[in-house]
Amino acid sequence: MTDIRFDVLTIGNAIVDVIARVEDSFIAREKLVKGSMNLIDEARAEQLYAAMGPAREVSGGSAGNTAAGVASFGGRAAYFGKVKKDQLGDIYRHDMRAQGVHFDTAAATDGPATARSFILVTPDSERTMNTYLGACVNLTAADIDEATVQASRVTYMEGYLYDRPEAKDAFRRASDIARAAKRLTSVTLSDSFCVERHRDDFMHLIRSRIDIVFANETEIKSLYQTQNFNGAMEAIRRDCAVAVLTRSEKGSVIVRGNETVEVPAHRVAKVIDVTGAGDLYAAGFLFGYTRDMPLKRCAELGGLAAAEVISHVGARPEVNLKAHAAAAGLL
């Protein structure tokens, strides 16, 4: 069997986040659904960028944020994602590697530009995302390096990949390689609208190929088409070996077989921007899980990482999470 070189391999859309603070009136004027993720074309991207005012650019993408979080905890992280060989693509690659993440996916030399997500943060700290997928949709099965998957304890994939057939094929190839190598597979449901688009595919995937599923309360209720969280929790308990369910200020619930672990949210002095909360929660949880820590401690590490990232603008940690967790008595 291949030796393990990485704790967590994440696969997802490589996106540069363009973050701006806006009033609720801006969301209404642009006819956006607050708190949602909307896919937009290049023309809409240019229009939004012109309208949104001052912004800052930081490397993001859900699975990329998770990989960066794992590395910040001191874990060994790898990442598959597609950028173009352009200015934003070069920045993205530099940022990932500077975080200590192994990132060798070949950049596209032609086609659309590196993806960007315009993240509009309202005064209540809610974020509304408008994403131009650009080059990231060109991730294909050919970009899945078999040796890296085989050498990773857990392969973690973002649900957004299911929006493109080619990326879906990459997703399936990675899960097949991981399972053949007796490694763990994991998925995050990403967004309730994403669940609506791919509910049947997600159900089949979770029941047949996934060991650990991550979802927030809205996503898991959408998956099972219910308004009852406890009902959805019992349903996912039957369908997946481990389910990690986040509930914002209510904390999180982990179910594994007959086991149910409830952990309160980590305290936050002030919520600034909730972008990346779920991504960083997954990073902390998987860091603990790949070290065989108890589920409660995995959830506490996830909660700590989520709390750090929502205390500032941007979806990646601004402190060393290993030192931060040690100071909190969690490591």
Side-chain angles (χ1 to χ4, degrees):
M1 182 180 286
T2 306
D3 289 340
I4 292 175
R5 294 171 50 214
F6 304 107
D7 299 307
V8 183
L9 162 67
T10 74
I11 308 174
N13 291 328
I15 299 171
V16 176
D17 291 337
V18 182
I19 306 169
R21 292 192 167 280
V22 300
E23 298 298 322
D24 285 300
S25 57
F26 183 91
I27 302 295
R29 189 165 63 249
E30 294 294 331
K31 297 181 172 58
L32 300 171
V33 178
K34 187 175 177 179
S36 69
M37 193 286 285
N38 311 291
L39 295 178
I40 59 175
D41 60 20
E42 192 167 5
R44 175 64 165 153
E46 296 296 335
Q47 183 267 320
L48 263 181
Y49 187 60
M52 66 195 281
R56 57 178 290 204
E57 296 173 349
V58 292
S59 296
S62 176
N65 296 336
T66 299
V70 170
S72 185
F73 271 111
R76 299 167 297 170
Y79 177 68
F80 294 160
K82 202 74 170 179
V83 297
K84 189 179 183 183
K85 182 63 178 158
D86 56 16
Q87 183 180 9
L88 284 182
D90 291 346
I91 289 171
Y92 193 93
R93 188 176 301 278
H94 168 81
D95 285 353
M96 291 298 285
R97 289 178 170 176
Q99 284 270 5
V101 176
H102 176 82
F103 178 32
D104 275 349
T105 308
T109 54
D110 54 16
T114 294
R116 65 214 65 176
S117 181
F118 301 95
I119 300 177
L120 308 172
V121 184
T122 40
D124 61 358
S125 302
E126 185 59 87
R127 81 278 188 269
T128 302
M129 296 183 288
N130 302 272
T131 304
Y132 167 60
L133 291 172
C136 77
V137 301
N138 292 326
L139 181 79
T140 69
D143 293 306
I144 302 303
D145 179 65
E146 184 172 4
T148 301
V149 178
Q150 291 172 336
S152 300
R153 196 180 298 273
V154 179
T155 294
Y156 170 91
M157 300 166 281
E158 64 179 66
Y160 288 135
L161 287 170
Y162 260 58
D163 281 327
R164 297 286 295 196
E166 297 84 2
K168 188 188 296 187
D169 289 343
F171 197 121
R172 289 171 174 159
R173 173 168 161 74
S175 64
D176 286 346
I177 294 168
R179 293 181 76 78
K182 294 183 168 51
R183 306 302 188 203
L184 296 174
T185 57
S186 180
V187 66
T188 173
L189 297 187
S190 295
D191 178 275
S192 60
F193 291 87
C194 187
V195 174
E196 292 287 341
R197 291 192 294 272
H198 306 294
R199 181 178 292 107
D200 290 346
D201 278 348
F202 279 165
M203 290 302 310
H204 177 71
L205 177 81
I206 289 166
R207 288 167 173 162
S208 62
R209 295 169 179 256
I210 296 299
D211 298 300
I212 309 168
V213 63
F214 288 83
N216 65 26
E217 184 168 354
T218 304
E219 291 156 3
I220 200 66
K221 289 194 295 189
S222 175
L223 183 67
Y224 290 102
Q225 297 179 279
T226 178
Q227 292 303 307
N228 184 285
F229 173 76
N230 287 333
M233 180 180 73
E234 293 308 318
I236 193 66
R237 188 197 302 274
R238 294 190 296 269
D239 285 336
C240 192
V242 180
V244 183
L245 310 176
T246 56
R247 308 187 74 189
S248 300
E249 70 279 359
K250 298 176 187 174
S252 57
V253 183
I254 298 89
V255 295
R256 179 174 63 185
N258 293 325
E259 198 175 358
T260 302
V261 178
E262 296 188 47
V263 176
H266 195 86
R267 288 185 60 194
V268 184
K270 185 179 180 182
V271 177
I272 302 297
D273 172 17
V274 298
T275 309
D279 307 334
L280 269 295
Y281 182 99
F285 186 92
L286 290 172
F287 174 78
Y289 198 82
T290 55
R291 278 157 180 74
D292 299 319
M293 294 182 187
L295 291 180
K296 181 175 183 289
R297 181 51 50 88
C298 296
E300 289 170 340
L301 290 170
L304 174 129
E308 190 284 329
V309 84
I310 65 175
S311 67
H312 58 76
V313 173
R316 296 200 177 174
E318 291 186 349
V319 302
N320 179 281
L321 290 176
K322 182 177 182 179
H324 191 46
L330 298 179
L331 288 179

